[in-house]
Amino acid sequence: MSREDTRFWNESIERMNRSKLEEIQGERLRELVKRLYESVPFYRRKLKGAGIDPSDVRGLPDLRKLPFTSKDELRENYPFGLLAVPKSELVEVHMTSGTTGIPTPNFLTLKDVETWGELIARSLYMGGLRKGDVFQITPSFSLFTGGFSFFYGARKIGSFIVPTGPGNSKRQIELMKELGTTSFASIVSYAVRLTEVAREMGIDPSRDLGVRRIFMGSEMSTPQLKRRLMEAWSADVFDAYGQTETYGGPSVGLDCHLHDGIHVWEDHFLVEIVDPKTGEPVGNEEKGELVVTTLTKDAMPLLRYRTRDITFIYDAVEHDCGRTHRRIGWIEGRTDDMIKYRGVNFWPSFIESIILKYDELSEHYQVELFSERGSEYMVIKIEAKNVLQEGERRRLSHLIEDELRRRFMFEAKVEITEPHVLPRFETGKAKRVIDNRERKI
Amino acid sequence: MSREDTRFWNESIERMNRSKLEEIQGERLRELVKRLYESVPFYRRKLKGAGIDPSDVRGLPDLRKLPFTSKDELRENYPFGLLAVPKSELVEVHMTSGTTGIPTPNFLTLKDVETWGELIARSLYMGGLRKGDVFQITPSFSLFTGGFSFFYGARKIGSFIVPTGPGNSKRQIELMKELGTTSFASIVSYAVRLTEVAREMGIDPSRDLGVRRIFMGSEMSTPQLKRRLMEAWSADVFDAYGQTETYGGPSVGLDCHLHDGIHVWEDHFLVEIVDPKTGEPVGNEEKGELVVTTLTKDAMPLLRYRTRDITFIYDAVEHDCGRTHRRIGWIEGRTDDMIKYRGVNFWPSFIESIILKYDELSEHYQVELFSERGSEYMVIKIEAKNVLQEGERRRLSHLIEDELRRRFMFEAKVEITEPHVLPRFETGKAKRVIDNRERKI
């Protein structure tokens, strides 16, 4: 990694000493609670219900007294119920529709757009994006935040933006050659797809393309998959963190070039980890649900927002990269995506992390769940990279079945398939799990 | 139309007296030729080839001495051959792939993005878009200019942008209700589609939705179709003009609330009309190919660019709206889309303008061309709005066949179909003509 990569977009903030940073956080939290109480009836009711007057909040230690905000509450108050500004001040909206069909929106004022750009610029610059870089943005520009998020940050940095959006993968690879793309942004499964398409075109990304940085967002990736992409492209690969409600990744943070944890921009977001069931704080470096309080959002600030993402916060504060902003671990899964199978909770990422240890196996897999007469069954199909002998496929199946049994204590049937038989995902998130059980548990 | 609609985004420029405007144009043209000669080898060769030294260009009257630039030349020099700035200064690219598959690009510096936004803001503001308007942008945000074009202009005005992009039409209509959309941008065929989808949902756009302005771009529309959309939505409908090479519509211009011609922003673009065959100027208000010279483009300026669009320039300069910028007529067609049938040239818009005179007929039609033993045949299928009696369908067919014969001197078989049998177009331009002839003529 070159020295260049360790530089800062906003050094005085990124390296701010902790006492100063916490002073700012405390002050912003006080202002936030006051503003929400005065401007948002929804929050006034919640705060009153919790017996809290804004004057009770003096600083950071009071955070834990404050009520949570849930995704369901955002939906129940759709569209304008959580606005802290008049509708006439809005300049943009993004939203996810989610599984229920009721959207989770994020409304923005001009000040929010400005903050969004600043946060993304900080993250992308930390990942090495510069003016002069040719930056291909493959996530969709739409109500989905993906495309615009990378766009606003890259515009601040001054990079050359190639706004392709998703799909048309062959053309994406051609554009990389024609325009000399040096970095691209992508949702995780689409980066996998682009790798495959390049190879089908006879192009070795690491040798024939000039991409040296990949910014991944929106889907969970495993460290194993990340390593594979790094090798395939000879590129540094970064994990964006953020969600529609906090503008969109990498607004909340990104991993620096040392890749041990995602720096969270703590002057804008307060993070906590709680037990997803009880809402109580967990111990140091223990895993739980990430809770985010937005300190600077203008149109629609959120108090202790339950992200449903499972991770932990690193104890250590000063990092070797020089930044003082706290790090969170990689996101194992979202509680939404968690699957209960024979009484055991798991995320597809658990399975992926096992699969990708085997060089013979590709990144393409599918998990299918069945039920029959009260019993549950799981079949995991995994594509081999190349055609394998029957015996070899059986050997790999057994190894993976064993490890699943040993590590997660569940029984699954593993089938190693020929290459190119499972579905590919070009324009949306990958659908890894097909649940055919009669009663989802 | 309210008084509000006649106000100006940049009054001193929009109402500038002609002699001052032409002085600016002359000065910018001189600078442009000098810059192209010095910075773009392609143009230096062309200018030298035409025996022109930059010092020969003293003002506007010298424009006609200068060489044309063709779309083919843009393609031949793809990607970077026409750049007037170093690649490191680029911040964005858009391109169309066209029928040949070789892209026609437009590269932009930060200054270009700024100009683009200013031009679109001027056009949208002229059409009545304001801060406080909820503006749904349905053209795609991608290498295609559509989405970003409206986005940059609306951002300058401060409107509330709902960046849906195309597709998912039912959701588009729901969003219009949920968010209170007051204006939307759309390619022409998609506006037709949205009207239809709303009605299928039991929603009468003119009564149940708050849309009062529609900005149409990218495809040719006829005055008849425009009138239909105005009625369907109780909205004012505007025609955006522009193309990828000039940022994207309505960068070059838009019609004002009086709807007689498209004001061209002449401080940024010089317009001429030439005979498409000879390249010679045509007479006053005569139709021909529109030629555009970009006076202020930074990364990739174009000298006398042959747009392939057929229109005319109005003689009158001062307009009742108070603007002094010249107007062009509605675009009848592009020479690219022109079809030769039994020796006669025509555009689908000719047919559309006849069809839409009949209240019984919808906006959905398809033209199919066949050849058999050296003879050519045309079948025009038109959807009725409602189910019609056989006799009534025959009567309408004959009326249209007669008018085609009388006005354009060509024989076609017209079939009036049931409603909802022809294809719909949600995410791209409408494909109106299917040419099955063995040898395209």
Short mmCIF file of all heavy atoms in Angstrom, two decimals, chain B residues 303-321:
data_model
loop_
_atom_site.label_atom_id
_atom_site.label_comp_id
_atom_site.label_asym_id
_atom_site.label_seq_id
_atom_site.Cartn_x
_atom_site.Cartn_y
_atom_site.Cartn_z
N LEU B 303 -18.00 22.37 -33.27
CA LEU B 303 -18.14 23.41 -34.28
C LEU B 303 -19.15 22.95 -35.32
O LEU B 303 -18.99 21.88 -35.92
CB LEU B 303 -16.77 23.57 -34.94
CG LEU B 303 -16.37 24.92 -35.50
CD1 LEU B 303 -16.51 26.02 -34.46
CD2 LEU B 303 -14.93 24.86 -36.02
N ARG B 304 -20.18 23.72 -35.52
CA ARG B 304 -21.19 23.44 -36.55
C ARG B 304 -21.56 21.95 -36.56
O ARG B 304 -21.39 21.25 -37.58
CB ARG B 304 -20.70 23.90 -37.93
CG ARG B 304 -20.41 25.39 -37.97
CD ARG B 304 -20.20 25.86 -39.41
NE ARG B 304 -21.48 26.12 -40.09
CZ ARG B 304 -21.63 26.18 -41.40
NH1 ARG B 304 -20.60 25.96 -42.21
NH2 ARG B 304 -22.81 26.44 -41.93
N TYR B 305 -22.10 21.50 -35.47
CA TYR B 305 -22.43 20.09 -35.31
C TYR B 305 -23.74 19.78 -36.02
O TYR B 305 -24.77 20.41 -35.77
CB TYR B 305 -22.53 19.74 -33.82
CG TYR B 305 -22.80 18.28 -33.57
CD1 TYR B 305 -21.87 17.33 -33.98
CD2 TYR B 305 -23.96 17.86 -32.96
CE1 TYR B 305 -22.11 15.97 -33.77
CE2 TYR B 305 -24.21 16.51 -32.74
CZ TYR B 305 -23.28 15.58 -33.16
OH TYR B 305 -23.52 14.24 -32.95
N ARG B 306 -23.68 18.78 -36.91
CA ARG B 306 -24.86 18.37 -37.67
C ARG B 306 -25.73 17.48 -36.79
O ARG B 306 -25.41 16.31 -36.57
CB ARG B 306 -24.42 17.60 -38.92
CG ARG B 306 -23.52 18.40 -39.85
CD ARG B 306 -24.30 19.38 -40.70
NE ARG B 306 -25.20 18.69 -41.59
CZ ARG B 306 -25.02 18.56 -42.91
NH1 ARG B 306 -23.97 19.10 -43.50
NH2 ARG B 306 -25.91 17.92 -43.64
N THR B 307 -26.85 18.04 -36.30
CA THR B 307 -27.66 17.29 -35.32
C THR B 307 -28.50 16.19 -35.95
O THR B 307 -29.00 15.31 -35.26
CB THR B 307 -28.66 18.21 -34.59
OG1 THR B 307 -29.59 18.72 -35.55
CG2 THR B 307 -27.94 19.36 -33.90
N ARG B 308 -28.73 16.29 -37.28
CA ARG B 308 -29.63 15.36 -37.98
C ARG B 308 -31.10 15.58 -37.64
O ARG B 308 -31.96 14.81 -38.05
CB ARG B 308 -29.26 13.90 -37.71
CG ARG B 308 -27.83 13.58 -38.11
CD ARG B 308 -27.55 12.10 -38.00
NE ARG B 308 -26.18 11.78 -38.39
CZ ARG B 308 -25.71 10.55 -38.45
NH1 ARG B 308 -26.49 9.51 -38.16
NH2 ARG B 308 -24.46 10.32 -38.81
N ASP B 309 -31.39 16.63 -36.86
CA ASP B 309 -32.79 16.94 -36.52
C ASP B 309 -33.35 17.93 -37.53
O ASP B 309 -32.69 18.91 -37.89
CB ASP B 309 -32.88 17.56 -35.13
CG ASP B 309 -32.58 16.55 -34.05
OD1 ASP B 309 -32.86 15.35 -34.27
OD2 ASP B 309 -32.05 16.94 -33.00
N ILE B 310 -34.57 17.67 -37.96
CA ILE B 310 -35.20 18.52 -38.96
C ILE B 310 -36.17 19.50 -38.30
O ILE B 310 -37.10 19.08 -37.61
CB ILE B 310 -35.96 17.67 -40.01
CG1 ILE B 310 -35.02 16.67 -40.68
CG2 ILE B 310 -36.63 18.57 -41.05
CD1 ILE B 310 -33.89 17.26 -41.47
N THR B 311 -35.93 20.78 -38.51
CA THR B 311 -36.81 21.82 -37.97
C THR B 311 -36.56 23.12 -38.74
O THR B 311 -35.93 23.11 -39.79
CB THR B 311 -36.59 22.00 -36.46
OG1 THR B 311 -37.55 22.92 -35.96
CG2 THR B 311 -35.19 22.49 -36.13
N PHE B 312 -37.05 24.23 -38.21
CA PHE B 312 -36.81 25.54 -38.83
C PHE B 312 -36.58 26.56 -37.72
O PHE B 312 -36.84 26.27 -36.54
CB PHE B 312 -38.00 25.96 -39.72
CG PHE B 312 -39.26 26.19 -38.95
CD1 PHE B 312 -39.61 27.46 -38.51
CD2 PHE B 312 -40.12 25.13 -38.62
CE1 PHE B 312 -40.79 27.67 -37.78
CE2 PHE B 312 -41.28 25.34 -37.88
CZ PHE B 312 -41.62 26.61 -37.46
N ILE B 313 -36.09 27.73 -38.09
CA ILE B 313 -35.90 28.82 -37.11
C ILE B 313 -36.95 29.90 -37.39
O ILE B 313 -37.13 30.30 -38.54
CB ILE B 313 -34.49 29.42 -37.21
CG1 ILE B 313 -33.43 28.34 -36.91
CG2 ILE B 313 -34.33 30.60 -36.25
CD1 ILE B 313 -31.98 28.82 -37.04
N TYR B 314 -37.64 30.34 -36.34
CA TYR B 314 -38.61 31.42 -36.50
C TYR B 314 -37.89 32.71 -36.87
O TYR B 314 -36.82 33.02 -36.33
CB TYR B 314 -39.36 31.66 -35.19
CG TYR B 314 -40.42 30.63 -34.85
CD1 TYR B 314 -40.08 29.41 -34.29
CD2 TYR B 314 -41.77 30.90 -35.08
CE1 TYR B 314 -41.05 28.47 -33.96
CE2 TYR B 314 -42.76 29.97 -34.74
CZ TYR B 314 -42.40 28.77 -34.19
OH TYR B 314 -43.35 27.85 -33.85
N ASP B 315 -38.50 33.47 -37.76
CA ASP B 315 -37.93 34.77 -38.12
C ASP B 315 -37.98 35.76 -36.95
O ASP B 315 -37.00 36.40 -36.63
CB ASP B 315 -38.74 35.37 -39.28
CG ASP B 315 -38.01 35.17 -40.60
OD1 ASP B 315 -36.87 34.65 -40.57
OD2 ASP B 315 -38.57 35.53 -41.64
N ALA B 316 -39.16 35.82 -36.35
CA ALA B 316 -39.38 36.82 -35.29
C ALA B 316 -38.43 36.57 -34.13
O ALA B 316 -38.19 35.42 -33.76
CB ALA B 316 -40.82 36.74 -34.81
N VAL B 317 -37.89 37.63 -33.58
CA VAL B 317 -36.92 37.47 -32.51
C VAL B 317 -37.53 37.81 -31.15
O VAL B 317 -37.54 37.00 -30.24
CB VAL B 317 -35.65 38.31 -32.81
CG1 VAL B 317 -34.82 38.48 -31.57
CG2 VAL B 317 -34.86 37.64 -33.92
N GLU B 318 -38.06 39.03 -31.01
CA GLU B 318 -38.72 39.40 -29.75
C GLU B 318 -39.97 38.53 -29.60
O GLU B 318 -40.78 38.44 -30.52
CB GLU B 318 -39.14 40.87 -29.76
CG GLU B 318 -38.01 41.86 -29.61
CD GLU B 318 -37.63 42.09 -28.15
OE1 GLU B 318 -38.33 41.57 -27.25
OE2 GLU B 318 -36.62 42.78 -27.91
N HIS B 319 -40.12 37.89 -28.44
CA HIS B 319 -41.28 37.03 -28.25
C HIS B 319 -42.17 37.61 -27.15
O HIS B 319 -41.69 38.34 -26.28
CB HIS B 319 -40.82 35.61 -27.86
CG HIS B 319 -41.89 34.58 -27.92
ND1 HIS B 319 -42.11 33.69 -26.92
CD2 HIS B 319 -42.81 34.31 -28.87
CE1 HIS B 319 -43.11 32.89 -27.25
NE2 HIS B 319 -43.57 33.26 -28.42
N ASP B 320 -43.47 37.31 -27.23
CA ASP B 320 -44.42 37.86 -26.25
C ASP B 320 -44.07 37.52 -24.81
O ASP B 320 -44.51 38.19 -23.89
CB ASP B 320 -45.84 37.35 -26.55
CG ASP B 320 -46.39 37.98 -27.83
OD1 ASP B 320 -45.81 38.99 -28.28
OD2 ASP B 320 -47.39 37.46 -28.37
N CYS B 321 -43.32 36.45 -24.62
CA CYS B 321 -42.93 36.09 -23.25
C CYS B 321 -41.85 37.01 -22.71
O CYS B 321 -41.53 36.96 -21.53
CB CYS B 321 -42.44 34.64 -23.20
SG CYS B 321 -40.81 34.38 -23.94
#
